[in-house]
Amino acid sequence: MTPALLRPAVAADEPFLWEMLYEASHAADQGHAVADLKTIPALSRYVDGWGAEGDLGVVGGPAESPCGAAWVRLLTGANAAYGYIDDATPELAIAVAPSARGTGLGTAMLERLIADAAGRYPAISLSVREDNPARRLYQRVGFVDVPDSQIVNRAGTTSVTMVLRLR
Ligand SMILES: CC(C)(COP(=O)(O)OP(=O)(O)OC[C@H]1O[C@@H](n2cnc3c(N)ncnc32)[C@H](O)[C@@H]1OP(=O)(O)O)[C@@H](O)C(=O)NCCC(=O)NCCS
């Protein structure tokens, strides 16, 4: 298989990250458009002002037409999001464009991001719907469920917090 094309997510990628957040948050299920995300603080905090200190991400796919991104951001205090576990641990968001799913790009981006984050953060956390097949990907790279972390999410279903310890 051709190795995935990966590069760091920079500030200029913010518009693309909004698109990927739209996929990661399953916002279409609620009838939202991509632009709506900016008005939903629980989601916008993952992307708004991308490129701030501590932001770390990977964009995947051809340079002229990227098709996936995985990124982490420290979200603390009033900005804490669904996957918050402590003030030192950034939260993960990841998505691949629908037409490019299931071909290994998500795995490649996540593995690169984990390697990049290892020297900087003690752990990575995330929130995922309990029935999302992405849980298998997370488990394969080492994420485990945070005990008693089930919450009712925006869609009214159950989400669970997972954590990957890096040291
Ligand atoms: C999750 C996601 C980023 C994985 O990227 P990918 O390139 O499809 O993943 P890979 O091909 O490297 O790995 C396959 C794994 O991805 C996950 N996956 C594949 N298709 C998926 C889909 N439509 N939805 C969610 N996860 C999927 C599964 O865990 C799968 O493992 P399996 O083969 O054991 O079922 C991508 O499928 C996606 O964008 N899904 C929708 C958005 C989403 O759910 N994001 C996570 C929110 S917490």
Side-chain angles (χ1 to χ4, degrees):
M1 193 168 74
T2 314
L5 293 166
L6 304 177
R7 62 170 177 79
V10 297
D13 291 312
E14 185 175 329
F16 180 63
L17 293 192
W18 285 112
E19 288 177 38
M20 292 296 100
L21 180 67
Y22 186 74
E23 299 295 337
S25 63
H26 300 273
D29 297 354
Q30 275 88 49
H32 291 303
V34 176
D36 297 342
L37 300 186
K38 297 185 182 183
T39 67
I40 305 173
L43 296 177
S44 64
R45 59 185 47 136
Y46 286 93
V47 169
D48 202 17
W50 179 258
E53 191 178 343
D55 288 348
L56 189 63
V58 173
V59 169
E64 65 286 2
S65 56
C67 50
W71 66 102
V72 294
R73 181 173 242 190
L74 258 187
L75 295 167
T76 62
N79 256 340
Y82 295 115
Y84 174 87
I85 60 164
D86 61 45
D87 284 356
T89 302
E91 295 185 44
L92 173 81
I94 181 170
V96 167
S99 61
R101 285 178 195 159
T103 62
L105 182 60
T107 302
M109 294 191 306
L110 192 51
E111 287 177 344
R112 170 70 65 85
L113 182 63
I114 290 167
D116 291 348
R120 293 169 67 168
Y121 292 112
I124 297 172
S125 65
L126 62 87
S127 177
V128 58
R129 294 184 187 180
E130 223 162 22
D131 61 357
N132 190 331
R135 275 171 66 68
R136 285 193 292 275
L137 168 59
Y138 299 144
Q139 286 161 349
R140 271 200 293 275
V141 299
F143 282 86
V144 295
D145 289 1
V146 173
D148 305 319
S149 63
Q150 280 87 357
I151 55 153
V152 177
N153 56 40
R154 288 177 309 114
T157 62
T158 303
S159 287
V160 61
T161 302
M162 301 180 78
V163 64
L164 171 69
R165 301 280 171 200
L166 298 171
R167 55 177 104 113

